[in-house]
Amino acid sequence: MAFFGDQKVASKISNPEVVAWAAEHPVEMAILQDLASQRLRRVKCRPSVTLAVLLQFRLIDGEAAREFSEGLYSGAGLQSGNPILALRDRLDRIREGKVNVSDRDLIGYFVMAWNHWRRGGNTSKLQMPRGGAWTRESFPEAV
């Protein structure tokens, strides 16, 4: 599932459409219920964005997503260079600076951190692509 979407398309989703989607996706609903019962509010990001991203990560690799989420929630044991720590730091700076950041940008930071972490890479910073805006080509795909 790709996260990059056209922000100019404004679609209204009705309650019956949401109910139908939930009925057709029991696995996703179970994951969402589990995630919603966790410590989403500890992440300095809109809960809806955090929930959407963590759902996608769980669908990719449930066990890895649980480990990633735990680091994101608590920060315990994260060493310098850990991509999860880089994400926590980036979200802290956004919140403290009261910077208005789009959902797309936030999702991009989450996916960058996830991909670095999954590959065993180190990073101390998560930055926008050159030019300062995501494109379909530059937006990271969660692996």
Side-chain angles (χ1 to χ4, degrees):
M1 169 187 272
F3 278 119
F4 190 90
D6 188 352
Q7 291 179 325
K8 295 177 183 174
V9 176
S11 61
K12 302 281 184 181
I13 299 173
S14 68
N15 287 341
E17 289 172 313
V18 171
V19 171
W21 183 92
E24 293 167 8
H25 296 87
V27 171
E28 288 86 345
M29 286 305 300
I31 294 169
L32 287 169
Q33 288 173 333
D34 182 48
L35 286 168
S37 70
Q38 295 181 17
R39 301 163 282 172
L40 289 178
R41 296 251 180 233
R42 288 190 177 183
V43 180
K44 293 183 181 177
C45 182
R46 285 183 289 287
S48 58
V49 171
T50 304
L51 191 62
V53 173
L54 294 181
L55 168 62
Q56 183 62 30
F57 294 169
R58 282 264 190 109
L59 293 171
I60 292 169
D61 184 334
E63 193 55 42
R66 285 179 188 86
E67 187 178 338
F68 183 90
S69 298
E70 184 56 39
L72 188 59
Y73 298 147
S74 72
L78 300 180
Q79 304 295 320
S80 179
N82 185 307
I84 301 169
L85 181 59
L87 176 59
R88 286 174 55 91
D89 290 346
R90 182 67 150 153
L91 296 174
D92 284 346
R93 285 192 306 278
I94 290 168
R95 173 75 54 91
E96 290 169 9
K98 297 181 180 170
V99 178
N100 188 18
V101 177
S102 72
D103 290 351
R104 178 182 288 168
D105 292 345
L106 292 168
I107 292 167
Y109 295 136
F110 271 89
V111 174
M112 288 171 55
W114 167 258
N115 288 347
H116 277 299
W117 180 77
R118 292 260 296 167
R119 294 178 179 130
N122 289 325
T123 188
S124 58
K125 286 197 264 184
L126 300 173
Q127 297 179 324
M128 298 283 292
R130 290 180 192 247
W134 301 107
T135 64
R136 289 192 184 282
E137 293 75 32
S138 68
F139 196 82
E141 185 72 30
V143 294

